[in-house]
Amino acid sequence: MRNGVHPSYGPVVFRDRAANYTFLTRSTMTSEKTIEWEDGHTYPVVDVEISNVSHPFYTGTARVLDTAGRVERFERRYGKNG
């Protein structure tokens, strides 16, 4: 790789604020905030809104939309038989 072209790649802690879950991985993301990890080292921390712990697809708590209301509105607008 050429010097000065690619961003630095290092350990970063991602924190899911909704689920109170943190995980350490490697990334090119940076942050001014830091956190002391379980190994005693300090790493930059990036707050995320959703992760595999809080995402409805992974947790099985997907919200059901009001599809009946949408169907009724479609039928009112375009008729039942098209």
Side-chain angles (χ1 to χ4, degrees), residues 1 18 46 57 63 68:
M1 294 190 334
V46 176
F57 177 79
R63 290 176 266 156

Side-chain angles (χ1 to χ4, degrees), residues 3-65:
N3 291 333
V5 176
H6 301 285
S8 62
Y9 182 73
V12 177
V13 174
F14 286 91
R15 178 171 47 194
D16 183 348
R17 302 294 288 203
N20 196 21
Y21 177 73
T22 56
F23 57 95
L24 178 66
T25 187
R26 296 180 58 86
S27 176
T28 58
M29 293 189 71
T30 59
S31 175
E32 296 294 322
K33 297 185 220 173
T34 59
I35 190 171
E36 187 172 334
W37 192 244
E38 301 160 354
D39 62 1
H41 292 91
T42 302
Y43 299 107
V45 63
V46 176
D47 291 327
V48 294
E49 294 180 19
I50 198 161
S51 71
N52 65 323
V53 176
S54 62
H55 193 280
F57 177 79
Y58 294 105
T59 60
T61 57
R63 290 176 266 156
V64 177
L65 298 175

